[in-house]
């Protein structure tokens, strides 16, 4: 058990001879970790001369949850400009959506191409 005089010395951070005891003093710091925002990626649909416009609209509705109006607008943009943005996502989500669209197009025997790039 610690006696009262020794306890005072320990709490004050000084030894009995008057010197400062470095073991009992210090500055407490709290480091804050900040998570970095994930880089956004654009999912792009490419135009071709063979895939029906209705199929492109279906893909946009099914995989990108677009309304019929938004899907039609994006499909027309792809048709007229050659490429259009379907959405902006994190890398993993963008990669998954590209794979889903490409697999669905292949299953339905359409040459529809979908890709992604850093936004």
């Amino acid at each position: 058990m610690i006696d009262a005089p020794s306890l005072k010395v320990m709490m004050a951070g000084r030894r009995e001879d008057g010197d400062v005891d470095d073991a009992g003093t210090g500055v407490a710091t709290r480091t804050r970790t900040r998570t970095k925002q994930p880089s956004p990626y654009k999912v792009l649909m490419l135009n071709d001369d063979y895939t029906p416009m209705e199929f492109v609209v279906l893909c946009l509705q099914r995989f990108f949850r677009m309304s019929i109006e938004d899907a039609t607008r994006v499909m027309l943009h792809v048709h007229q400009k050659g490429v259009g943005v379907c959405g902006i996502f994190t890398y993993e989500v963008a990669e998954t959506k590209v794979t889903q669209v490409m697999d669905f197009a292949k299953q339905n025997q359409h040459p529809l191409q979908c890709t992604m790039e850093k936004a």
Side-chain angles (χ1 to χ4, degrees):
M1 183 166 173
I2 300 175
D3 59 334
S6 296
L7 183 61
K8 267 187 184 175
V9 169
M10 285 175 30
M11 289 178 68
R14 295 187 181 274
R15 295 190 301 227
E16 290 180 15
D17 59 1
D19 290 339
V20 176
D21 184 10
D22 288 335
T25 61
V27 177
T29 60
R30 179 180 293 168
T31 56
R32 290 187 179 183
T33 56
R34 291 192 177 186
T35 55
K36 186 179 174 185
Q37 289 281 31
S39 299
Y41 285 80
K42 293 189 284 190
V43 176
L44 305 171
M45 195 167 283
L46 307 175
N47 187 42
D48 64 70
D49 294 334
Y50 303 102
T51 305
M53 293 179 176
E54 295 81 15
F55 183 79
V56 175
V57 170
L58 176 65
C59 288
L60 292 168
Q61 287 180 296
R62 178 177 284 189
F63 300 111
F64 299 98
R65 305 221 184 267
M66 290 186 188
S67 66
I68 186 81
E69 294 83 14
D70 289 340
T72 303
R73 183 179 43 78
V74 171
M75 177 274 299
L76 287 173
H77 181 82
V78 170
H79 180 68
Q80 293 167 355
K81 305 290 183 182
V83 65
V85 177
C86 302
I88 300 175
F89 308 96
T90 60
Y91 180 82
E92 291 81 10
V93 174
E95 185 178 45
T96 300
K97 292 200 180 279
V98 166
T99 302
Q100 288 174 331
V101 170
M102 298 286 286
D103 289 347
F104 188 61
K106 193 174 195 177
Q107 288 170 2
N108 289 279
Q109 299 176 347
H110 294 299
L112 182 64
Q113 293 293 304
C114 194
T115 186
M116 59 189 256
E117 70 179 27
K118 208 168 194 173

